[in-house]
Amino acid sequence: MCTSVQPVEWTTDLKNQNFDGIVLVTQSHDTLPPELECLKAPLQDYSSVDSGLGEEVVILKVHGLPGNRLVFASTGPVNRDYDDARRFSDAAVNGIKRALKAGMQRPLLVCPPHKDYKNNTLVAALGALHALYMPLEVREGKVKPNDYKVCVLGLWATNEAQGKRLVELAEALESGRLACRDIGGSDPERMAAPRAAEYVLDLFKDSPVQVEVLSDLKVLEKEYPCLAAVNRCASSVPRHQARVIKLQYCGEGPIQKTLMLVGKGITYDTGGADIKAGGVMAGMHRDKCGAAAVAGFFQILAKLKPKHLKVVGSMAMVRNSVGADCYVADELVVSRAGRRVRVGNTDAEGRMVMVDLLCEMKEKAVCETSPQLFTIATLTGHAIRAMGPNYSIIMDNGPAHRSENAAQWQRAGEVLGDLFEVSSIRREDYEFHKGKSEYEDILQCNNLPSSATPRGHQTPAAFLIMASGLDKHGVDSNAPLPYSHIDIAGSSGPFPGVPTGAPIVAMATNYILSDVL
């Protein structure tokens, strides 16, 4: 299994003949710095016959350049109220796609620094690498002659130090996104829970990340009863049986912060007994992108090895199958925290598979240094309806809100274009999930889709807090624990299409690279 990143090299020589074409990403040829003066004249000549230069990607024949080819992918304006760093990654994606059509195998990406976006060159590099991702099934099936779309991606830098750092960061971040895409984007059989566990074990072999896989059904039933309820139907099919994958990284030196991550890994979501009807089941293999993000972040940790940071992760890899033994609405399930949960909708399985793992993290957190707890999930259609298809949503409990955690994530996301919107968990969200009779303490969900439910992406966070017992660790407690829920239903990527790897770039920016970027 090939899990290595597309080969990347840096150069300060614009006319390096080891490459076979240049892909220029910038706003306009008029603003090129002196080092790129040789690119200005051919673009000026082209603009004299085509006033649309800058509106579409163009390719020019320019003697003396690598491969005698220049692809120009304009970012368009980047200084308006609504512009952000994605202008550079979007342009790089378009430029690399055009380079591939032209037959380039050694493209040199040139993205000159911009005064308002100090990391725009790295953003463009990540855009190019996204365009060059080759799906796991294509690599394993030897559909293509090579495991990479090009032999090498070149990155132009103004000096050696910048070039080395650019390649180091691009490779580390892309290695995490590659793992995230492999797990999140692969089909329901290739990345069924047992095979996902094999992938993760192989990925972190001989690395500083420790991996433990729980597969025994009796252990899962005892330790994670809500997860086991969802797994009940799939457990009768050995290749679909659930796995809980536990990860741990402990950096050198005294630990100053502990991150505790729980990722939703629904390998396929039929909806269960509340089945996804009317053609909306297609694409539900992507319901594991939260767990995929957890694995991807650990891969970045393994590459960059940050000091003074401990990270604990749990991937809840479960298939929500439908059949004679599937869990159904009206069932009462007692969570790990001892809360009696009334199932309202079997298609709200994501919160069920995460809640006991979150409870376990809560139990461990009281002994950790400066803990922060997170759940990451493609949880609700409401997230897409509320914020659109390109944004992660983060929402804090009381202790996390007091430390402005969501705002910090939003700022971190702006740096490299892994963007966040901020929502709030309100009293109505807690009221929504209170038990409606003396039989239950908590109602898991109503019987409507989240997209048809007011506050449909906020209420699940309240459920996770209540059913895990985190409500006993709010701002009014003696042991407050900061917790944030992240819904990536919108940002995880299109289907059909390639997963984005969200939100691991923002996570790495916030906790690993804050002193670098």
Side-chain angles (χ1 to χ4, degrees):
M1 178 179 65
C2 175
T3 56
S4 57
V5 173
Q6 165 72 54
V8 182
E9 297 177 3
W10 64 271
T11 183
T12 58
D13 182 5
L14 197 63
K15 297 185 178 181
N16 188 329
Q17 293 301 317
N18 287 330
F19 302 100
D20 62 0
I22 286 178
V23 178
L24 175 63
V25 172
T26 191
Q27 179 177 347
S28 169
H29 60 278
D30 293 328
T31 59
L32 289 174
E35 304 97 314
L36 303 179
E37 187 70 27
C38 64
L39 303 180
K40 186 177 292 187
L43 288 169
Q44 284 176 332
D45 288 345
Y46 185 95
S47 67
S48 68
V49 297
D50 185 357
S51 60
L53 179 66
E55 296 178 9
E56 296 181 1
V57 179
V58 297
I59 184 166
L60 292 73
K61 184 175 183 178
V62 182
H63 292 289
L65 294 184
N68 297 323
R69 291 181 286 192
L70 171 62
V71 172
F72 177 50
S74 173
T75 61
V78 296
N79 60 349
R80 297 165 296 191
D81 288 356
Y82 51 87
D83 291 316
D84 57 63
R86 291 175 299 172
R87 294 293 182 194
F88 297 92
S89 57
D90 291 348
V93 167
N94 294 333
I96 288 295
K97 287 181 176 178
R98 184 64 185 89
L100 291 172
K101 283 186 177 180
M104 290 186 196
Q105 277 297 298
R106 304 179 69 86
L108 174 60
L109 179 69
V110 178
C111 182
H114 191 285
K115 63 182 180 64
D116 296 326
Y117 298 90
K118 72 172 187 174
N119 298 293
N120 68 309
T121 304
L122 176 57
V123 174
L126 292 174
L129 289 166
H130 179 76
L132 293 172
Y133 171 75
M134 188 175 289
L136 177 64
E137 289 95 335
V138 176
R139 305 197 309 267
E140 291 182 336
K142 303 299 179 184
V143 176
K144 306 289 185 180
N146 300 300
D147 288 332
Y148 308 107
K149 289 183 178 178
V150 296
C151 297
V152 67
L153 172 66
L155 300 177
W156 178 79
T158 56
N159 57 66
E160 179 180 350
Q162 185 207 22
K164 288 181 176 179
R165 189 59 170 158
L166 178 61
V167 169
E168 178 190 13
L169 293 179
E171 287 184 334
L173 293 172
E174 179 60 16
S175 71
R177 295 200 306 174
L178 184 141
C180 186
R181 294 191 202 102
D182 280 358
I183 296 171
S186 292
D187 80 81
E189 292 297 328
R190 173 58 189 92
M191 213 51 78
R195 298 189 69 187
E198 292 171 3
Y199 178 98
V200 172
L201 286 166
D202 186 68
L203 180 67
F204 294 116
K205 184 172 55 180
D206 302 322
S207 87
V209 174
Q210 301 172 18
V211 182
E212 179 187 8
V213 178
L214 302 182
S215 59
D216 186 278
L217 293 177
K218 293 190 180 300
V219 172
L220 298 181
E221 290 169 357
K222 179 177 181 293
E223 300 294 331
Y224 316 110
C226 293
L227 179 149
V230 179
N231 179 53
R232 197 167 67 206
C233 185
S235 67
S236 62
V237 181
R239 72 179 192 278
H240 292 163
Q241 289 175 352
R243 297 290 188 271
V244 171
I245 305 171
K246 296 188 175 184
L247 307 169
Q248 181 167 305
Y249 167 85
C250 196
E252 293 181 2
I255 298 303
Q256 297 173 357
K257 183 176 290 294
T258 305
L259 306 180
M260 311 187 81
L261 317 174
V262 177
K264 173 188 173 184
I266 299 298
T267 60
Y268 197 70
D269 185 13
T270 67
D274 290 300
I275 199 160
K276 292 182 181 289
V280 297
M281 199 185 298
M284 284 299 109
H285 70 287
R286 293 287 185 84
D287 218 7
K288 54 189 182 306
C289 284
V294 171
F297 183 64
F298 272 89
Q299 176 66 355
I300 296 173
L301 293 168
K303 294 295 183 181
L304 295 179
K305 301 178 178 61
K307 297 179 180 181
H308 311 299
L309 179 66
K310 179 178 180 180
V311 186
V312 182
S314 290
M315 301 168 60
M317 306 303 298
V318 187
R319 181 179 173 114
N320 189 20
S321 291
V322 61
D325 203 22
C326 65
Y327 86 125
V328 296
D330 295 352
E331 281 190 39
L332 289 170
V333 183
V334 180
S335 73
R336 180 186 176 100
R339 306 290 174 83
R340 292 169 297 144
V341 176
R342 170 81 73 180
V343 177
N345 190 330
T346 64
D347 200 16
E349 82 297 329
R351 64 196 73 179
M352 294 287 282
V353 303
M354 291 192 295
V355 69
D356 293 326
L357 290 165
L358 179 61
C359 178
E360 184 177 48
M361 291 293 191
K362 173 205 71 179
E363 295 163 3
K364 295 178 178 179
V366 293
C367 300
E368 299 290 352
T369 301
S370 186
Q372 289 187 318
L373 287 74
F374 298 90
T375 47
I376 307 173
T378 49
L379 205 63
T380 65
H382 191 275
I384 303 172
R385 174 160 289 189
M387 302 298 185
N390 298 309
Y391 301 91
S392 300
I393 304 176
I394 185 168
M395 55 207 88
D396 292 342
N397 75 344
H401 180 67
R402 286 193 172 181
S403 63
E404 299 185 341
N405 185 63
Q408 291 172 19
W409 274 68
Q410 189 174 48
R411 288 192 294 270
E414 296 281 349
V415 174
L416 297 179
D418 190 1
L419 300 186
F420 275 80
E421 301 290 7
V422 176
S423 284
S424 299
I425 310 169
R426 301 293 186 186
R427 61 184 183 183
E428 290 84 357
D429 303 318
Y430 290 89
E431 289 291 333
F432 183 85
H433 285 287
K434 283 185 178 178
K436 308 308 177 190
S437 74
E438 58 189 297
Y439 287 91
E440 70 274 352
D441 301 312
I442 297 168
L443 177 65
Q444 171 236 26
C445 187
N446 62 0
N447 51 19
L448 292 173
S450 68
S451 56
T453 301
R455 303 187 61 80
H457 72 269
Q458 293 103 319
T459 69
F463 168 83
L464 287 162
I465 292 169
M466 296 163 68
S468 68
L470 262 175
D471 54 344
K472 303 300 183 185
H473 294 270
V475 293
D476 59 339
S477 74
N478 294 324
L481 291 174
Y483 159 71
S484 300
H485 171 61
I486 300 170
D487 196 326
I488 59 170
S491 61
S492 60
F495 177 77
V498 174
T500 61
I504 63 174
V505 170
M507 197 183 311
T509 302
N510 200 20
Y511 295 110
I512 305 175
L513 303 174
S514 58
D515 295 333
V516 177
L517 299 178

